Amino acid sequence: MAASRLLRQTLAITALGSLAFAAQAQTVWRFSNWLPPTHHVVTEMVQPWAADVEKATEGRVKIQVLPALGAPPAHYDLVKNGVADIAFSVHAYTPNRFKLTEMAELPFTTDHAVVNSLAYWRTYQKHFAKANEHEGTVLLGLWTNGPYQLFTKANALTTTAAVSGIKIRVPGTTVEKITRSLGMTPISSPLSEAYEQVSRGVIQGMFQQKETVVAFKMTQHMPTASYVPGGFAHSSQYLVVNAAKWAALEPRDRAAIEKLSGEVMVRRFATVWQAKEDDADRQLAAAGVKVTPVQGPLLQELRTKLAFVQDEWLVEAGKKSPAAKQALDEYRALIDSVSRELGVSK
């Protein structure tokens, strides 16, 4: 009898222990981070969002930020193949792979990151999500930061001849096309090498958003800036999670994360980028960077000269989606309506 009672007690304790373990069981997503751990994408976007995910799922889902599990351009495939569970990356790092997302990289759209990002997300979801460019993953959000403007050592864009022949670092296909069409020489390289290149004279400038020029301390080597309305281009960025990891979540946890993703994430992350751009304006002025606004006949010349970028995108995007032209028209119309919605200049 004593032995039987002891066995029942042991089984009961084991069952309670199993229940306690189950209650504490946690899904841990490995976030591969290729940025410096102090970068605001990590500290002001990813980490706060991850904390909100853990809170919203009552601790059942935790996101563990790890050092990079591969090179920046590899991060989509790292997630798709399950090497990482979740990651942030930039579409232009894998040229031509995400053709439809290049819509948000086109020149002369808007200077405001939140306006651009909301117009982009709404258009992409309506017209392009069905094309499944992010196959094997779940797209939690995509957005842009501030516009790329031209920063150089000495050559202000007062005429196209004024910048002809100078070497410019380019971050992707769209900017490379623009660089060549303006008579400059494109040099493709990671952003991590840009400071050394410009400080040593390997390049004489770059198309870059204002925030990055400040963050990477390049103002002393590029004290000349040339701005066009709506930017020469933009950086399309995204967050994806492995499809199998997403499917393995409990429905309540998927629902909780969905509430923190999509347009909510887009607005949240783009707001951080816009704040950085606003602060960069002040810091560029304090550093003595001379800004030349491109306007009048020269601006019209540039619009005409760069129209082919949009035309070529429409041809290539049309091969993936018959809605490409309609999407672009709606995207540009949304930029206007979202600007009014937010009460900001586009």
Side-chain angles (χ1 to χ4, degrees), residues 306-321:
L306 299 181
F308 80 96
V309 178
Q310 175 176 301
D311 294 341
E312 288 186 359
W313 177 79
L314 281 169
V315 171
E316 293 301 314
K319 297 175 183 177
K320 278 194 168 187
S321 171

PDB file of all heavy atoms in Angstrom, residues 306-321:
ATOM      1  N   LEU A 306      15.761  61.685 -65.778  1.00  0.00           N
ATOM      2  CA  LEU A 306      15.596  60.501 -64.931  1.00  0.00           C
ATOM      3  C   LEU A 306      14.242  59.811 -65.103  1.00  0.00           C
ATOM      4  O   LEU A 306      13.961  58.833 -64.409  1.00  0.00           O
ATOM      5  CB  LEU A 306      15.784  60.893 -63.463  1.00  0.00           C
ATOM      6  CG  LEU A 306      17.145  61.468 -63.083  1.00  0.00           C
ATOM      7  CD1 LEU A 306      17.206  61.796 -61.599  1.00  0.00           C
ATOM      8  CD2 LEU A 306      18.265  60.504 -63.458  1.00  0.00           C
ATOM      9  N   ALA A 307      13.431  60.282 -66.027  1.00  0.00           N
ATOM     10  CA  ALA A 307      12.121  59.662 -66.249  1.00  0.00           C
ATOM     11  C   ALA A 307      12.258  58.191 -66.647  1.00  0.00           C
ATOM     12  O   ALA A 307      11.372  57.380 -66.371  1.00  0.00           O
ATOM     13  CB  ALA A 307      11.353  60.437 -67.322  1.00  0.00           C
ATOM     14  N   PHE A 308      13.377  57.848 -67.272  1.00  0.00           N
ATOM     15  CA  PHE A 308      13.568  56.464 -67.715  1.00  0.00           C
ATOM     16  C   PHE A 308      13.596  55.483 -66.545  1.00  0.00           C
ATOM     17  O   PHE A 308      13.278  54.293 -66.726  1.00  0.00           O
ATOM     18  CB  PHE A 308      14.874  56.343 -68.509  1.00  0.00           C
ATOM     19  CG  PHE A 308      16.108  56.250 -67.660  1.00  0.00           C
ATOM     20  CD1 PHE A 308      16.664  55.019 -67.339  1.00  0.00           C
ATOM     21  CD2 PHE A 308      16.705  57.403 -67.144  1.00  0.00           C
ATOM     22  CE1 PHE A 308      17.801  54.930 -66.553  1.00  0.00           C
ATOM     23  CE2 PHE A 308      17.829  57.318 -66.343  1.00  0.00           C
ATOM     24  CZ  PHE A 308      18.387  56.081 -66.042  1.00  0.00           C
ATOM     25  N   VAL A 309      13.986  55.950 -65.344  1.00  0.00           N
ATOM     26  CA  VAL A 309      14.047  55.059 -64.189  1.00  0.00           C
ATOM     27  C   VAL A 309      12.658  54.501 -63.891  1.00  0.00           C
ATOM     28  O   VAL A 309      12.478  53.294 -63.688  1.00  0.00           O
ATOM     29  CB  VAL A 309      14.617  55.784 -62.955  1.00  0.00           C
ATOM     30  CG1 VAL A 309      14.629  54.856 -61.745  1.00  0.00           C
ATOM     31  CG2 VAL A 309      16.018  56.310 -63.238  1.00  0.00           C
ATOM     32  N   GLN A 310      11.662  55.384 -63.883  1.00  0.00           N
ATOM     33  CA  GLN A 310      10.286  54.945 -63.672  1.00  0.00           C
ATOM     34  C   GLN A 310       9.798  54.101 -64.839  1.00  0.00           C
ATOM     35  O   GLN A 310       9.144  53.068 -64.638  1.00  0.00           O
ATOM     36  CB  GLN A 310       9.379  56.162 -63.493  1.00  0.00           C
ATOM     37  CG  GLN A 310       7.900  55.809 -63.375  1.00  0.00           C
ATOM     38  CD  GLN A 310       7.037  57.011 -63.109  1.00  0.00           C
ATOM     39  OE1 GLN A 310       7.238  57.702 -62.108  1.00  0.00           O
ATOM     40  NE2 GLN A 310       6.083  57.296 -63.982  1.00  0.00           N
ATOM     41  N   ASP A 311      10.121  54.503 -66.059  1.00  0.00           N
ATOM     42  CA  ASP A 311       9.669  53.763 -67.242  1.00  0.00           C
ATOM     43  C   ASP A 311      10.208  52.338 -67.245  1.00  0.00           C
ATOM     44  O   ASP A 311       9.476  51.380 -67.538  1.00  0.00           O
ATOM     45  CB  ASP A 311      10.096  54.490 -68.519  1.00  0.00           C
ATOM     46  CG  ASP A 311       9.411  55.846 -68.683  1.00  0.00           C
ATOM     47  OD1 ASP A 311       8.374  56.058 -68.032  1.00  0.00           O
ATOM     48  OD2 ASP A 311       9.932  56.678 -69.450  1.00  0.00           O
ATOM     49  N   GLU A 312      11.485  52.207 -66.914  1.00  0.00           N
ATOM     50  CA  GLU A 312      12.086  50.872 -66.881  1.00  0.00           C
ATOM     51  C   GLU A 312      11.485  50.028 -65.762  1.00  0.00           C
ATOM     52  O   GLU A 312      11.278  48.819 -65.928  1.00  0.00           O
ATOM     53  CB  GLU A 312      13.604  50.982 -66.722  1.00  0.00           C
ATOM     54  CG  GLU A 312      14.305  51.493 -67.968  1.00  0.00           C
ATOM     55  CD  GLU A 312      15.824  51.459 -67.836  1.00  0.00           C
ATOM     56  OE1 GLU A 312      16.326  51.054 -66.757  1.00  0.00           O
ATOM     57  OE2 GLU A 312      16.503  51.846 -68.805  1.00  0.00           O
ATOM     58  N   TRP A 313      11.218  50.673 -64.633  1.00  0.00           N
ATOM     59  CA  TRP A 313      10.598  49.909 -63.542  1.00  0.00           C
ATOM     60  C   TRP A 313       9.226  49.401 -63.958  1.00  0.00           C
ATOM     61  O   TRP A 313       8.877  48.249 -63.680  1.00  0.00           O
ATOM     62  CB  TRP A 313      10.456  50.776 -62.286  1.00  0.00           C
ATOM     63  CG  TRP A 313       9.753  50.018 -61.203  1.00  0.00           C
ATOM     64  CD1 TRP A 313      10.295  49.079 -60.372  1.00  0.00           C
ATOM     65  CD2 TRP A 313       8.351  50.083 -60.882  1.00  0.00           C
ATOM     66  NE1 TRP A 313       9.317  48.550 -59.545  1.00  0.00           N
ATOM     67  CE2 TRP A 313       8.129  49.149 -59.837  1.00  0.00           C
ATOM     68  CE3 TRP A 313       7.286  50.827 -61.366  1.00  0.00           C
ATOM     69  CZ2 TRP A 313       6.858  48.952 -59.278  1.00  0.00           C
ATOM     70  CZ3 TRP A 313       6.032  50.636 -60.810  1.00  0.00           C
ATOM     71  CH2 TRP A 313       5.827  49.706 -59.781  1.00  0.00           C
ATOM     72  N   LEU A 314       8.444  50.218 -64.629  1.00  0.00           N
ATOM     73  CA  LEU A 314       7.112  49.800 -65.058  1.00  0.00           C
ATOM     74  C   LEU A 314       7.181  48.583 -65.977  1.00  0.00           C
ATOM     75  O   LEU A 314       6.364  47.663 -65.867  1.00  0.00           O
ATOM     76  CB  LEU A 314       6.393  50.950 -65.769  1.00  0.00           C
ATOM     77  CG  LEU A 314       5.787  52.017 -64.852  1.00  0.00           C
ATOM     78  CD1 LEU A 314       5.338  53.233 -65.669  1.00  0.00           C
ATOM     79  CD2 LEU A 314       4.632  51.447 -64.052  1.00  0.00           C
ATOM     80  N   VAL A 315       8.154  48.554 -66.862  1.00  0.00           N
ATOM     81  CA  VAL A 315       8.303  47.404 -67.765  1.00  0.00           C
ATOM     82  C   VAL A 315       8.654  46.145 -66.981  1.00  0.00           C
ATOM     83  O   VAL A 315       8.025  45.089 -67.153  1.00  0.00           O
ATOM     84  CB  VAL A 315       9.385  47.692 -68.831  1.00  0.00           C
ATOM     85  CG1 VAL A 315       9.697  46.425 -69.629  1.00  0.00           C
ATOM     86  CG2 VAL A 315       8.933  48.801 -69.768  1.00  0.00           C
ATOM     87  N   GLU A 316       9.642  46.254 -66.096  1.00  0.00           N
ATOM     88  CA  GLU A 316      10.087  45.085 -65.335  1.00  0.00           C
ATOM     89  C   GLU A 316       9.040  44.648 -64.313  1.00  0.00           C
ATOM     90  O   GLU A 316       8.770  43.458 -64.147  1.00  0.00           O
ATOM     91  CB  GLU A 316      11.417  45.400 -64.628  1.00  0.00           C
ATOM     92  CG  GLU A 316      12.585  45.610 -65.571  1.00  0.00           C
ATOM     93  CD  GLU A 316      12.841  44.386 -66.447  1.00  0.00           C
ATOM     94  OE1 GLU A 316      12.844  43.264 -65.898  1.00  0.00           O
ATOM     95  OE2 GLU A 316      13.020  44.559 -67.662  1.00  0.00           O
ATOM     96  N   ALA A 317       8.440  45.598 -63.619  1.00  0.00           N
ATOM     97  CA  ALA A 317       7.421  45.262 -62.628  1.00  0.00           C
ATOM     98  C   ALA A 317       6.196  44.659 -63.292  1.00  0.00           C
ATOM     99  O   ALA A 317       5.527  43.779 -62.725  1.00  0.00           O
ATOM    100  CB  ALA A 317       7.035  46.503 -61.834  1.00  0.00           C
ATOM    101  N   GLY A 318       5.898  45.114 -64.501  1.00  0.00           N
ATOM    102  CA  GLY A 318       4.751  44.595 -65.230  1.00  0.00           C
ATOM    103  C   GLY A 318       4.861  43.117 -65.540  1.00  0.00           C
ATOM    104  O   GLY A 318       3.841  42.442 -65.727  1.00  0.00           O
ATOM    105  N   LYS A 319       6.079  42.607 -65.577  1.00  0.00           N
ATOM    106  CA  LYS A 319       6.284  41.172 -65.811  1.00  0.00           C
ATOM    107  C   LYS A 319       5.876  40.351 -64.596  1.00  0.00           C
ATOM    108  O   LYS A 319       5.541  39.171 -64.710  1.00  0.00           O
ATOM    109  CB  LYS A 319       7.749  40.895 -66.146  1.00  0.00           C
ATOM    110  CG  LYS A 319       8.228  41.551 -67.429  1.00  0.00           C
ATOM    111  CD  LYS A 319       9.723  41.346 -67.635  1.00  0.00           C
ATOM    112  CE  LYS A 319      10.227  42.068 -68.881  1.00  0.00           C
ATOM    113  NZ  LYS A 319      11.701  41.930 -69.034  1.00  0.00           N
ATOM    114  N   LYS A 320       5.908  40.980 -63.432  1.00  0.00           N
ATOM    115  CA  LYS A 320       5.525  40.297 -62.186  1.00  0.00           C
ATOM    116  C   LYS A 320       4.084  40.578 -61.794  1.00  0.00           C
ATOM    117  O   LYS A 320       3.445  39.761 -61.137  1.00  0.00           O
ATOM    118  CB  LYS A 320       6.443  40.729 -61.041  1.00  0.00           C
ATOM    119  CG  LYS A 320       7.758  40.004 -60.983  1.00  0.00           C
ATOM    120  CD  LYS A 320       8.443  40.261 -59.638  1.00  0.00           C
ATOM    121  CE  LYS A 320       9.619  39.334 -59.433  1.00  0.00           C
ATOM    122  NZ  LYS A 320      10.198  39.456 -58.080  1.00  0.00           N
ATOM    123  N   SER A 321       3.617  41.779 -62.148  1.00  0.00           N
ATOM    124  CA  SER A 321       2.265  42.162 -61.746  1.00  0.00           C
ATOM    125  C   SER A 321       1.618  43.021 -62.824  1.00  0.00           C
ATOM    126  O   SER A 321       2.165  44.073 -63.180  1.00  0.00           O
ATOM    127  CB  SER A 321       2.287  42.939 -60.429  1.00  0.00           C
ATOM    128  OG  SER A 321       1.006  43.472 -60.149  1.00  0.00           O
TER     129      SER A 321
END
